[in-house]
PDB file of all heavy atoms in Angstrom:
ATOM      1  N   LYS A  99      11.995  29.737  -9.515  1.00 82.00           N
ATOM      2  CA  LYS A  99      10.785  30.564  -9.311  1.00 82.00           C
ATOM      3  C   LYS A  99      10.718  31.744 -10.288  1.00 82.00           C
ATOM      4  O   LYS A  99       9.755  31.994 -10.957  1.00 82.00           O
ATOM      5  CB  LYS A  99      10.770  31.109  -7.888  1.00 82.00           C
ATOM      6  CG  LYS A  99      10.577  30.012  -6.870  1.00 82.00           C
ATOM      7  CD  LYS A  99      10.002  30.582  -5.574  1.00 82.00           C
ATOM      8  CE  LYS A  99       9.315  29.476  -4.760  1.00 82.00           C
ATOM      9  NZ  LYS A  99      10.264  28.422  -4.332  1.00 82.00           N
ATOM     10  N   LYS A 100      11.850  32.499 -10.406  1.00 80.00           N
ATOM     11  CA  LYS A 100      11.822  33.652 -11.222  1.00 80.00           C
ATOM     12  C   LYS A 100      12.175  33.366 -12.700  1.00 80.00           C
ATOM     13  O   LYS A 100      12.082  34.238 -13.535  1.00 80.00           O
ATOM     14  CB  LYS A 100      12.829  34.692 -10.714  1.00 80.00           C
ATOM     15  CG  LYS A 100      12.447  35.362  -9.415  1.00 80.00           C
ATOM     16  CD  LYS A 100      13.492  36.454  -9.049  1.00 80.00           C
ATOM     17  CE  LYS A 100      13.224  37.014  -7.654  1.00 80.00           C
ATOM     18  NZ  LYS A 100      14.330  37.844  -7.178  1.00 80.00           N
ATOM     19  N   GLY A 101      12.664  32.199 -12.938  1.00 78.00           N
ATOM     20  CA  GLY A 101      13.093  31.871 -14.315  1.00 78.00           C
ATOM     21  C   GLY A 101      14.519  32.321 -14.538  1.00 78.00           C
ATOM     22  O   GLY A 101      15.335  32.349 -13.621  1.00 78.00           O
ATOM     23  N   ASP A 102      14.771  32.768 -15.764  1.00 86.00           N
ATOM     24  CA  ASP A 102      16.133  33.102 -16.187  1.00 86.00           C
ATOM     25  C   ASP A 102      16.524  34.471 -15.656  1.00 86.00           C
ATOM     26  O   ASP A 102      16.379  35.497 -16.305  1.00 86.00           O
ATOM     27  CB  ASP A 102      16.093  33.101 -17.720  1.00 86.00           C
ATOM     28  CG  ASP A 102      17.467  33.178 -18.325  1.00 86.00           C
ATOM     29  OD1 ASP A 102      18.374  33.579 -17.612  1.00 86.00           O
ATOM     30  OD2 ASP A 102      17.597  32.834 -19.490  1.00 86.00           O
ATOM     31  N   PHE A 103      17.023  34.496 -14.410  1.00 89.00           N
ATOM     32  CA  PHE A 103      17.302  35.749 -13.732  1.00 89.00           C
ATOM     33  C   PHE A 103      18.667  35.778 -13.089  1.00 89.00           C
ATOM     34  O   PHE A 103      18.959  35.002 -12.205  1.00 89.00           O
ATOM     35  CB  PHE A 103      16.202  36.038 -12.720  1.00 89.00           C
ATOM     36  CG  PHE A 103      16.432  37.283 -11.873  1.00 89.00           C
ATOM     37  CD1 PHE A 103      16.138  38.530 -12.379  1.00 89.00           C
ATOM     38  CD2 PHE A 103      16.950  37.169 -10.560  1.00 89.00           C
ATOM     39  CE1 PHE A 103      16.364  39.681 -11.602  1.00 89.00           C
ATOM     40  CE2 PHE A 103      17.180  38.296  -9.820  1.00 89.00           C
ATOM     41  CZ  PHE A 103      16.874  39.548 -10.337  1.00 89.00           C
ATOM     42  N   ILE A 104      19.564  36.678 -13.589  1.00 93.00           N
ATOM     43  CA  ILE A 104      20.862  36.828 -12.987  1.00 93.00           C
ATOM     44  C   ILE A 104      20.894  38.161 -12.229  1.00 93.00           C
ATOM     45  O   ILE A 104      20.779  39.232 -12.842  1.00 93.00           O
ATOM     46  CB  ILE A 104      21.998  36.718 -14.014  1.00 93.00           C
ATOM     47  CG1 ILE A 104      21.904  35.360 -14.696  1.00 93.00           C
ATOM     48  CG2 ILE A 104      23.341  36.912 -13.324  1.00 93.00           C
ATOM     49  CD1 ILE A 104      22.846  35.238 -15.870  1.00 93.00           C
ATOM     50  N   PRO A 105      21.010  38.137 -10.914  1.00 95.00           N
ATOM     51  CA  PRO A 105      20.987  39.383 -10.162  1.00 95.00           C
ATOM     52  C   PRO A 105      22.204  40.265 -10.460  1.00 95.00           C
ATOM     53  O   PRO A 105      23.232  39.773 -10.940  1.00 95.00           O
ATOM     54  CB  PRO A 105      20.958  38.947  -8.705  1.00 95.00           C
ATOM     55  CG  PRO A 105      20.773  37.456  -8.702  1.00 95.00           C
ATOM     56  CD  PRO A 105      21.157  36.983 -10.075  1.00 95.00           C
ATOM     57  N   ASP A 106      22.072  41.482 -10.106  1.00 95.00           N
ATOM     58  CA  ASP A 106      23.136  42.465 -10.250  1.00 95.00           C
ATOM     59  C   ASP A 106      24.254  42.098  -9.251  1.00 95.00           C
ATOM     60  O   ASP A 106      23.996  41.788  -8.073  1.00 95.00           O
ATOM     61  CB  ASP A 106      22.504  43.809  -9.896  1.00 95.00           C
ATOM     62  CG  ASP A 106      23.538  44.915  -9.847  1.00 95.00           C
ATOM     63  OD1 ASP A 106      24.189  45.108 -10.876  1.00 95.00           O
ATOM     64  OD2 ASP A 106      23.682  45.558  -8.785  1.00 95.00           O
ATOM     65  N   GLY A 107      25.522  42.158  -9.704  1.00 95.00           N
ATOM     66  CA  GLY A 107      26.668  41.776  -8.910  1.00 95.00           C
ATOM     67  C   GLY A 107      26.740  42.582  -7.581  1.00 95.00           C
ATOM     68  O   GLY A 107      27.121  42.048  -6.536  1.00 95.00           O
ATOM     69  N   GLN A 108      26.435  43.877  -7.648  1.00 95.00           N
ATOM     70  CA  GLN A 108      26.501  44.728  -6.468  1.00 95.00           C
ATOM     71  C   GLN A 108      25.508  44.324  -5.432  1.00 95.00           C
ATOM     72  O   GLN A 108      25.756  44.350  -4.217  1.00 95.00           O
ATOM     73  CB  GLN A 108      26.252  46.170  -6.879  1.00 95.00           C
ATOM     74  CG  GLN A 108      27.537  46.879  -7.261  1.00 95.00           C
ATOM     75  CD  GLN A 108      27.291  48.333  -7.537  1.00 95.00           C
ATOM     76  OE1 GLN A 108      26.193  48.764  -7.856  1.00 95.00           O
ATOM     77  NE2 GLN A 108      28.334  49.143  -7.391  1.00 95.00           N
ATOM     78  N   GLU A 109      24.304  43.946  -5.960  1.00 95.00           N
ATOM     79  CA  GLU A 109      23.241  43.503  -5.051  1.00 95.00           C
ATOM     80  C   GLU A 109      23.672  42.255  -4.327  1.00 95.00           C
ATOM     81  O   GLU A 109      23.451  42.092  -3.110  1.00 95.00           O
ATOM     82  CB  GLU A 109      21.996  43.250  -5.942  1.00 95.00           C
ATOM     83  CG  GLU A 109      20.772  42.828  -5.206  1.00 95.00           C
ATOM     84  CD  GLU A 109      20.028  43.986  -4.513  1.00 95.00           C
ATOM     85  OE1 GLU A 109      20.586  45.110  -4.452  1.00 95.00           O
ATOM     86  OE2 GLU A 109      18.951  43.738  -4.041  1.00 95.00           O
ATOM     87  N   ILE A 110      24.309  41.344  -5.094  1.00 96.00           N
ATOM     88  CA  ILE A 110      24.793  40.107  -4.445  1.00 96.00           C
ATOM     89  C   ILE A 110      25.849  40.437  -3.380  1.00 96.00           C
ATOM     90  O   ILE A 110      25.849  39.914  -2.275  1.00 96.00           O
ATOM     91  CB  ILE A 110      25.374  39.114  -5.493  1.00 96.00           C
ATOM     92  CG1 ILE A 110      24.225  38.668  -6.430  1.00 96.00           C
ATOM     93  CG2 ILE A 110      26.018  37.937  -4.874  1.00 96.00           C
ATOM     94  CD1 ILE A 110      24.679  37.795  -7.580  1.00 96.00           C
ATOM     95  N   GLY A 111      26.728  41.350  -3.738  1.00 94.00           N
ATOM     96  CA  GLY A 111      27.813  41.777  -2.789  1.00 94.00           C
ATOM     97  C   GLY A 111      27.174  42.336  -1.503  1.00 94.00           C
ATOM     98  O   GLY A 111      27.675  42.077  -0.405  1.00 94.00           O
ATOM     99  N   ARG A 112      26.105  43.083  -1.628  1.00 94.00           N
ATOM    100  CA  ARG A 112      25.438  43.684  -0.483  1.00 94.00           C
ATOM    101  C   ARG A 112      24.868  42.619   0.400  1.00 94.00           C
ATOM    102  O   ARG A 112      24.893  42.735   1.647  1.00 94.00           O
ATOM    103  CB  ARG A 112      24.353  44.663  -1.003  1.00 94.00           C
ATOM    104  CG  ARG A 112      23.831  45.659   0.024  1.00 94.00           C
ATOM    105  CD  ARG A 112      22.678  46.444  -0.549  1.00 94.00           C
ATOM    106  NE  ARG A 112      21.547  45.667  -0.969  1.00 94.00           N
ATOM    107  CZ  ARG A 112      20.653  45.107  -0.169  1.00 94.00           C
ATOM    108  NH1 ARG A 112      20.779  45.299   1.114  1.00 94.00           N
ATOM    109  NH2 ARG A 112      19.679  44.411  -0.653  1.00 94.00           N
ATOM    110  N   LEU A 113      24.296  41.605  -0.175  1.00 95.00           N
ATOM    111  CA  LEU A 113      23.674  40.509   0.617  1.00 95.00           C
ATOM    112  C   LEU A 113      24.697  39.632   1.285  1.00 95.00           C
ATOM    113  O   LEU A 113      24.414  39.017   2.284  1.00 95.00           O
ATOM    114  CB  LEU A 113      22.873  39.599  -0.322  1.00 95.00           C
ATOM    115  CG  LEU A 113      21.600  40.149  -0.916  1.00 95.00           C
ATOM    116  CD1 LEU A 113      20.946  39.074  -1.784  1.00 95.00           C
ATOM    117  CD2 LEU A 113      20.644  40.562   0.210  1.00 95.00           C
TER     118      LEU A 113
END
Side-chain angles (χ1 to χ4, degrees):
K99 294 204 157 63
K100 288 185 188 169
D102 192 341
F103 175 78
I104 301 173
D106 175 58
Q108 271 185 336
E109 181 79 350
I110 294 175
R112 196 184 59 77
L113 290 180

